[in-house]
Amino acid sequence: FSPVWLVIWSIGSSFVLRHADRITWGWFAPGVTTVLIDCLGQQQGVWRFPPAFLSGIGSGYLKLDIFLVYMVSTFAVTGTGAVILAAAEELLARRSALGEPPPESLLEVASYIWSSCRASSLSVGGEAEALSYEGSEVAAAAASG
């Protein structure tokens, strides 16, 4: 789980905390559903897992190894998707606030995500100046407040 989390965090840390609820529900609901479907498939005899390849920790059809595989793989997919969706929404909102056209492709969203990985600022174009944040007015108001 840790390597998957580190990759998602390194790619989308600027989006993860602001969209934690989306990432959590987007991971938890499909992950648990997948585990339940797997248990049902084993119970119905559709498939089975050879005991020699499992740790032996589990109860009935719910095996720890299988649970972890499904939950981690589901997290990898939904976590990455949630970061992309959050970045696209934020880029769209930022461009809209500046009166710029919306992104035309996922390449623009990927570029936005990549720039957020390299820099601590997520401003788009002249957004910092146009919206007066990261600038003197906001800094002065925060300092005096």
Side-chain angles (χ1 to χ4, degrees):
F1 185 77
S2 296
V4 172
W5 173 249
L6 289 174
V7 168
I8 290 173
W9 182 260
S10 66
I11 292 171
S13 62
S14 54
F15 310 106
V16 168
L17 294 177
R18 288 192 302 275
H19 299 278
D21 58 338
R22 172 181 291 161
I23 292 171
T24 302
W25 283 109
W27 162 61
F28 188 73
V32 169
T33 302
T34 304
V35 169
L36 293 175
I37 289 170
D38 177 74
C39 289
L40 180 65
Q42 290 180 67
Q43 188 266 334
Q44 296 294 315
V46 177
W47 60 79
R48 66 178 185 81
F49 299 98
F53 297 106
L54 300 174
S55 67
I57 301 171
S59 175
Y61 296 107
L62 181 61
K63 310 289 191 268
L64 177 64
D65 312 70
I66 305 306
F67 175 81
L68 292 176
V69 165
Y70 285 135
M71 293 304 285
V72 170
S73 60
T74 302
F75 180 70
V77 172
T78 58
T80 305
V83 167
I84 293 169
L85 183 59
E89 287 177 353
E90 289 186 18
L91 180 59
L92 181 63
R94 289 172 184 275
R95 285 191 171 179
S96 177
L98 290 172
E100 294 180 3
E104 294 181 11
S105 71
L106 279 176
L107 291 176
E108 291 181 62
V109 176
S111 175
Y112 179 66
I113 293 170
W114 178 251
S115 67
S116 76
C117 291
R118 297 182 324 180
S120 60
S121 172
L122 289 175
S123 64
V124 175
E127 179 186 30
E129 295 80 26
L131 301 177
S132 300
Y133 59 86
E134 295 183 23
S136 59
E137 293 174 22
V138 172
S144 65

